[in-house]
Amino acid sequence: MKKAYIETYGCQMNVNDTEVIFSILAGEGYERTESMEEADLVMANTCSVRDNAEQRIWGRIEQFNLQRKRRPGVVVGIVGCMAERLKDKLLDTRKVDLVVGPDAYRSLPRLLRAITPDQPQIDVLLSRDETYADITPVRTDKNGVSAFISIMRGCNNVCSYCVVPYTRGAERSRDAHSIVREACDVFQKGYKEVTLLGQNVDSYLWKTADETVNFAELLRRVASVSPELRVRFATSHPKDISDEVIETMAAYDNICKHIHLPVQSGSSRMLEKMRRKYDREWYLERVAKIRSVMPDCGLTTDVIAGFCSETEEDHAATMSLMEEVGFDWAFMFAYSERPGTLAARNYPDDVPPEVKTRRLNEIIDLQNRKSLESYRRDIGKRFTVLVEGPSKRNPDDLCGRASNSKMCVFPGGGHRTGEYVDVQVVDCTSATLICQLIETT
């Protein structure tokens, strides 16, 4: 049996793609290994959303190539978004045998058989219908508790800064019945939580002659698999998240009360330039709706500092929106131009690097303060937590997330990974709720 080693970079969707790849490779006689030194096939599943992610991959390619030199016959491959975007440059290095884009993973067995020392193989064609719906992923998670389920691929939004539509193609939704079957399968295998994945889950729409399933209906169906199966999802888009989705979340106890709602900027001028298709007022109205229906819903976001032509007034608008909303936490980045995007073609990247860094640091400082305020408000509250495993800092403690996605740490008390436990918050940091067990009689 040959062995395959894959490093995964980027978002949760890439994790799910890696699991699909391992399933495809299993049919070709490969088994998964976590040791690069014993692998016959060494690959990186890549992300092109930000420049620093790509730069990391170039460094890893050098390390992968050492395996080829030490052990002739080892195959080195790059798959995923970077493979599609930089296909020619990757092959020109002569350090890569295989380049495969996100929609071409089914071609891996054929390509692997065709590789010779002088003939690398490539397939980066994008598809309008590939969803890998019939492939059962090989789960790579460590805890055996949480599973990712892809419900759609691609994106139609074409935000001006974003490379995803060019690397992952047009949006297409997966057969709703196959999604529910996969949720049933993972639950029967002992998983207690699924996360439904899509670039914009709120635009999920699957139609046949007899049936139409939108995202709210899909949530209902997956939540109905079992009340013991928690349901999460990522990522929502502020322009598309509907009242029906919000009300469906509130109606099911096992749909987790957490929404990741990327705002990117608090300035309506910047949002228009980013082609986000909503303004500041729309975003704040959606937040108000969420909190009116689910007052304790966790809310997280993405923020970009220093987008093209951003002024101090635009930056101040972002800061004031963050202050008003009070996100639990956020992914925060300085803008990095991605070649081929609308912004790269049309707008100069004209905010000086030192200004971007200063604004990003101000955003981070504000969010750290708001996170601490958010977590402190939970002191004294009780939560049901799904145990994910031992705490990193103290193996005698356990950790797991509450419904609102906040991480809780608590004494083990004889409990095990995969159990639900009730806890009470007694203290916190800006990223963790410190809890005591509530023992039931």
Side-chain angles (χ1 to χ4, degrees), residues 295-309:
D296 294 326
C297 185
L299 198 61
T300 56
T301 199
D302 296 348
V303 181
I304 297 173
F307 186 63
C308 309
S309 83

Side-chain angles (χ1 to χ4, degrees), residues 264-337:
Q264 309 300 2
S265 174
S267 162
S268 292
R269 186 182 79 87
M270 285 288 94
L271 291 170
E272 182 176 10
K273 198 163 194 174
M274 291 175 174
R275 296 188 82 250
R276 291 293 287 169
K277 301 174 186 174
Y278 57 86
D279 59 15
R280 177 190 179 97
E281 289 68 33
W282 175 270
Y283 187 92
L284 290 174
E285 185 280 328
R286 289 289 79 194
V287 170
K289 175 64 179 181
I290 291 165
R291 288 185 167 158
S292 70
V293 176
M294 297 179 291
D296 294 326
C297 185
L299 198 61
T300 56
T301 199
D302 296 348
V303 181
I304 297 173
F307 186 63
C308 309
S309 83
E310 184 187 69
T311 65
E312 289 300 326
E313 290 75 18
D314 295 320
H315 172 59
T318 296
M319 298 281 283
S320 69
L321 183 141
M322 294 175 67
E323 190 80 57
E324 181 174 347
V325 174
F327 298 105
D328 298 327
W329 49 265
F331 293 111
M332 299 160 284
F333 306 94
Y335 172 65
S336 62
E337 184 177 271

Side-chain angles (χ1 to χ4, degrees), residues 248-426:
T248 300
M249 290 178 66
Y252 287 82
D253 289 341
N254 61 324
I255 299 179
C256 291
K257 307 305 184 280
H258 167 248
I259 299 174
H260 188 68
L261 198 66
V263 66
Q264 309 300 2
S265 174
S267 162
S268 292
R269 186 182 79 87
M270 285 288 94
L271 291 170
E272 182 176 10
K273 198 163 194 174
M274 291 175 174
R275 296 188 82 250
R276 291 293 287 169
K277 301 174 186 174
Y278 57 86
D279 59 15
R280 177 190 179 97
E281 289 68 33
W282 175 270
Y283 187 92
L284 290 174
E285 185 280 328
R286 289 289 79 194
V287 170
K289 175 64 179 181
I290 291 165
R291 288 185 167 158
S292 70
V293 176
M294 297 179 291
D296 294 326
C297 185
L299 198 61
T300 56
T301 199
D302 296 348
V303 181
I304 297 173
F307 186 63
C308 309
S309 83
E310 184 187 69
T311 65
E312 289 300 326
E313 290 75 18
D314 295 320
H315 172 59
T318 296
M319 298 281 283
S320 69
L321 183 141
M322 294 175 67
E323 190 80 57
E324 181 174 347
V325 174
F327 298 105
D328 298 327
W329 49 265
F331 293 111
M332 299 160 284
F333 306 94
Y335 172 65
S336 62
E337 184 177 271
R338 310 309 295 128
T341 60
L342 288 172
R345 295 198 301 268
N346 297 310
Y347 307 137
D349 183 7
D350 54 2
V351 179
E354 64 274 14
V355 175
K356 288 182 185 178
T357 299
R358 189 256 302 165
R359 290 177 185 170
L360 176 61
N361 286 336
E362 290 175 0
I363 286 169
I364 291 170
D365 288 344
L366 171 59
Q367 183 54 52
N368 285 343
R369 175 168 61 81
K370 300 306 289 186
S371 292
L372 185 57
E373 290 175 6
S374 171
Y375 279 63
R376 280 177 174 166
R377 285 194 295 271
D378 285 337
I379 293 176
K381 292 182 180 178
R382 297 185 174 196
F383 295 112
T384 298
V385 173
L386 177 60
V387 179
E388 296 181 8
S391 166
K392 292 180 180 178
R393 291 193 174 184
N394 183 353
D396 292 331
D397 290 341
L398 295 174
C399 66
R401 286 185 294 167
S403 175
N404 62 11
S405 201
K406 291 178 180 177
M407 182 58 71
C408 300
V409 174
F410 45 91
H415 293 286
R416 295 177 296 179
T417 298
E419 291 184 13
Y420 289 106
V421 298
D422 292 324
V423 301
Q424 184 168 22
V425 183
V426 295

Side-chain angles (χ1 to χ4, degrees), residues 152-159 162 164-166 168-172 199-200 203 237:
M152 59 199 302
R153 299 184 72 83
C155 184
N156 289 346
N157 287 313
V158 197
C159 298
C162 186
V164 168
Y166 309 100
R168 284 188 169 264
E171 183 180 280
R172 60 272 191 198
Q199 205 68 38
N200 175 12
S203 63
H237 197 298

Side-chain angles (χ1 to χ4, degrees), residues 201-204 214-220 233 236 240-252 255 259 286 289-290 293-294:
V201 292
D202 299 296
S203 63
Y204 175 89
N214 64 9
F215 184 55
E217 174 59 23
L218 183 68
L219 277 176
R220 291 187 193 100
F233 57 87
S236 282
D240 291 319
I241 187 168
S242 66
D243 290 358
E244 185 184 9
V245 166
I246 296 167
E247 289 158 3
T248 300
M249 290 178 66
Y252 287 82
I255 299 179
I259 299 174
R286 289 289 79 194
K289 175 64 179 181
I290 291 165
V293 176
M294 297 179 291

